[in-house]
């Protein structure tokens, strides 16, 4: 786990108006930070710069006390949880969670312990032999998070993970994510345009508009004081 510090971050695509215009946000170790704002305000761009999928035009991006501007995504030790969860349909839950450890050539006995510990934390012990196609949406989300946990990532990053789900499942998943994040105490940055998600999940909410940070406050300060 680590704090994420964005210091005067700017992103320009070509000659256009900056998509992200001098944004500074400190995400504390273990904090759940929400990024909200209308479509096109720069949320995804900012998230992608944290992960390393987008070059930073200027400013400093810090993870813990490391400046990561020039680090490749795989060297940043972050876990991005995508909308579609990006699970491998032909692999079991066990192998999906184990996947990053296999890539890293972690020895079998150590790998087995890490996978089983993660599965236990996420209450997936009984589903290790199943394939993603036979799981509920909530279970699939937990497998995706399991893959992030085994790598002992410093932070979770979510880009509108619930926007394709129906209202009922979205509500369940919201509860699930909140519970897991608190249990794991892992630093989280979460992009959404859903006010309910911002209110129920966020320790703090950063409101973006046209690439600028407009407000940074607790959900209570933002939504309960007119
Ligand atoms: P949001 O996630 O809040 O919807 P984005 O970060 O996707 O916003 O986009 C912010 C702005 O940057 C928008 O004006 C968008 O059109 C522009 N933009 C995003 N990605 C690119 C790109 N690859 N090339 C050029 N402009 C882009
Ligand atoms: P979102 O707003 O949900 O982030 P978009 O549909 O705006 O997604 O963008 C989808 C993809 O297209 C992203 O990879 C983004 O970087 C890219 N993109 C967005 N706007 C532009 C643009 N003006 N020029 C080129 N690529 C863009």
């Amino acid at each position: 786990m680590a704090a994420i510090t964005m210091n005067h971050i700017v992103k320009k695509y070509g000659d256009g108006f900056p998509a992200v215009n001098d944004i500074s946000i400190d995400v504390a170790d273990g904090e759940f930070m929400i990024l909200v704002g209308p479509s096109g305000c720069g949320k995804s761009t900012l998230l992608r710069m944290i992960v390393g999928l987008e070059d930073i035009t200027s400013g400093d991006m810090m993870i813990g006390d490391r400046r990561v501007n020039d680090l490749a995504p795989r060297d940043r030790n972050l876990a991005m949880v995508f909308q579609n969860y990006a699970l491998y349909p032909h692999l079991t839950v066990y192998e999906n969670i184990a996947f990053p450890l296999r890539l890293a050539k972690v020895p079998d006995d150590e790998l087995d312990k890490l996978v089983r510990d993660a599965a236990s934390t996420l209450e997936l012990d009984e589903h290790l032999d199943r394939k993603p196609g036979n799981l509920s949406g909530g279970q699939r989300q937990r497998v995706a998070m399991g893959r992030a946990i085994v790598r002992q990532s410093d932070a979770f990053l979510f880009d509108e993970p619930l926007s394709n789900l129906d209202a009922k499942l979205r509500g369940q998943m919201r509860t699930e994510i909140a519970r897991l994040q608190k249990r794991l105490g892992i630093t989280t940055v979460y992009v959404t345009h859903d006010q309910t998600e911002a209110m129920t999940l966020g320790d703090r909410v950063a409101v973006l508009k046209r690439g600028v940070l407009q407000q940074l406050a607790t959900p209570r300060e933002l939504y309960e004081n007119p």
Side-chain angles (χ1 to χ4, degrees):
M1 278 161 281
I4 299 173
T5 310
M6 300 167 233
N7 209 349
H8 298 291
I9 299 291
V10 175
K11 175 66 185 185
K12 288 184 183 167
Y13 292 106
D15 303 332
F17 194 78
V20 169
N21 197 351
D22 195 19
I23 286 189
S24 298
I25 301 174
D26 292 338
V27 187
D29 195 347
E31 185 173 27
F32 201 125
M33 179 68 71
I34 301 270
L35 303 180
V36 292
S39 181
C41 70
K43 305 181 294 292
S44 296
T45 297
L46 193 55
L47 198 73
R48 291 158 62 84
M49 286 191 286
I50 299 172
V51 193
L53 296 173
E54 203 76 73
D55 287 338
I56 297 168
T57 305
S58 67
D60 299 309
M61 185 69 75
M62 309 288 295
I63 298 174
D65 50 17
R66 280 196 309 169
R67 185 176 186 272
V68 298
N69 289 51
D70 301 320
L71 286 187
R74 67 174 179 287
D75 296 325
R76 295 187 185 200
N77 199 30
L78 302 173
M80 181 101 169
V81 181
F82 291 98
Q83 219 171 65
N84 55 12
Y85 314 139
L87 300 179
Y88 299 102
H90 57 291
L91 296 181
T92 61
V93 167
Y94 184 102
E95 286 302 330
N96 265 284
I97 296 175
F99 195 81
L101 302 176
R102 298 242 184 255
L103 282 185
K105 301 205 179 354
V106 172
D108 275 351
D109 49 346
E110 189 183 337
L111 174 145
D112 189 65
K113 181 174 179 349
L114 288 168
V115 171
R116 289 181 190 283
D117 283 352
S120 165
T121 303
L122 297 166
E123 293 165 23
L124 286 169
D125 322 60
E126 289 167 19
H127 307 296
L128 286 171
D129 295 330
R130 296 169 71 184
K131 301 218 169 125
N134 304 322
L135 299 174
S136 70
Q139 290 166 337
R140 282 204 289 273
Q141 173 104 39
R142 276 186 267 153
V143 177
M145 293 173 86
R147 207 156 56 183
I149 296 171
V150 278
R151 281 192 299 163
Q152 304 178 335
S153 306
D154 285 328
F156 279 154
L157 303 166
F158 293 90
D159 194 355
E160 306 210 24
L162 309 185
S163 60
N164 287 338
L165 307 178
D166 65 45
K168 180 154 174 268
L169 187 54
R170 201 157 58 226
Q172 290 170 5
M173 297 302 307
R174 209 167 51 225
T175 309
E176 185 116 329
I177 290 174
R179 193 172 63 84
L180 279 172
Q181 196 271 346
K182 287 284 167 287
R183 164 117 61 100
L184 300 169
I186 189 163
T187 311
T188 301
V189 181
Y190 186 107
V191 166
T192 183
H193 56 253
D194 182 314
Q195 185 175 322
T196 310
E197 284 175 33
M199 279 173 59
T200 52
L201 289 172
D203 292 319
R204 285 190 298 162
V205 181
V207 184
L208 274 54
K209 192 173 176 190
R210 295 184 194 200
V212 174
L213 178 61
Q214 279 218 312
Q215 274 182 293
L216 181 56
T218 64
R220 181 177 293 249
E221 290 164 343
L222 267 186
Y223 298 116
E224 289 178 18
N225 300 330

